[in-house]
Amino acid sequence: MGKIRAKPAPMPAPKPVPKGPSLVTATKQGWKVMAGLAGITVAAAASVFHLVGPASLKDQAIGLAMGTGFLGIAALVAVRCPECDTSLAVWAFRTGTLTTWRERLAEVGSCPSCGHSVAEKKP
């Protein structure tokens, strides 16, 4: 008798490649996204430390979590369209899901409000 071979799993569909440069990277606002994500990460770590750390450091951990969380969110909200001043991060939060907002923010090629886009310069 012959061996039964399983079919290989199909390859996942490739993610769509943006047609032009990302509005966030083209306007040099990527550092705001990185600062925001770093602030939120530190806030999460401080929150966990508050739960498991020594009682003498709980007040400092709460203060660190609140401060860095606020700064992280402020940095993300500051990612804006240069034409109409719409917050691209707020748009990504409102129209995406909890797991896809970062991808939407990184891949947005034009402003969802006014349509502003940054075309690639050709030499």
Side-chain angles (χ1 to χ4, degrees):
M1 287 196 176
K3 294 182 180 178
I4 299 175
R5 294 186 182 182
K7 287 185 176 181
M11 295 292 290
K15 289 186 177 181
V17 178
K19 293 179 179 148
S22 166
L23 187 59
V24 175
T25 56
T27 56
K28 297 187 181 357
Q29 297 185 74
W31 70 270
K32 294 177 188 177
V33 176
M34 295 304 291
L37 293 176
I40 291 171
T41 302
V42 170
S47 298
V48 170
F49 183 79
H50 162 69
L51 296 174
V52 298
S56 61
L57 296 177
K58 289 191 185 256
D59 291 338
Q60 291 86 351
I62 291 171
L64 180 66
M66 289 176 61
T68 56
F70 174 76
L71 291 174
I73 291 171
L76 285 171
V77 170
V79 178
R80 298 189 170 275
C81 171
E83 290 294 316
C84 68
D85 209 34
T86 298
S87 176
L88 298 175
V90 171
W91 166 80
F93 287 135
R94 293 182 80 188
T95 59
T97 64
L98 185 62
T99 58
T100 63
W101 69 268
R102 293 177 310 275
E103 294 169 358
R104 292 176 61 81
L105 183 60
E107 294 174 356
V108 64
S110 63
C111 176
S113 182
C114 70
H116 173 73
S117 65
V118 181
E120 290 185 85
K121 294 179 182 176
K122 295 182 181 178

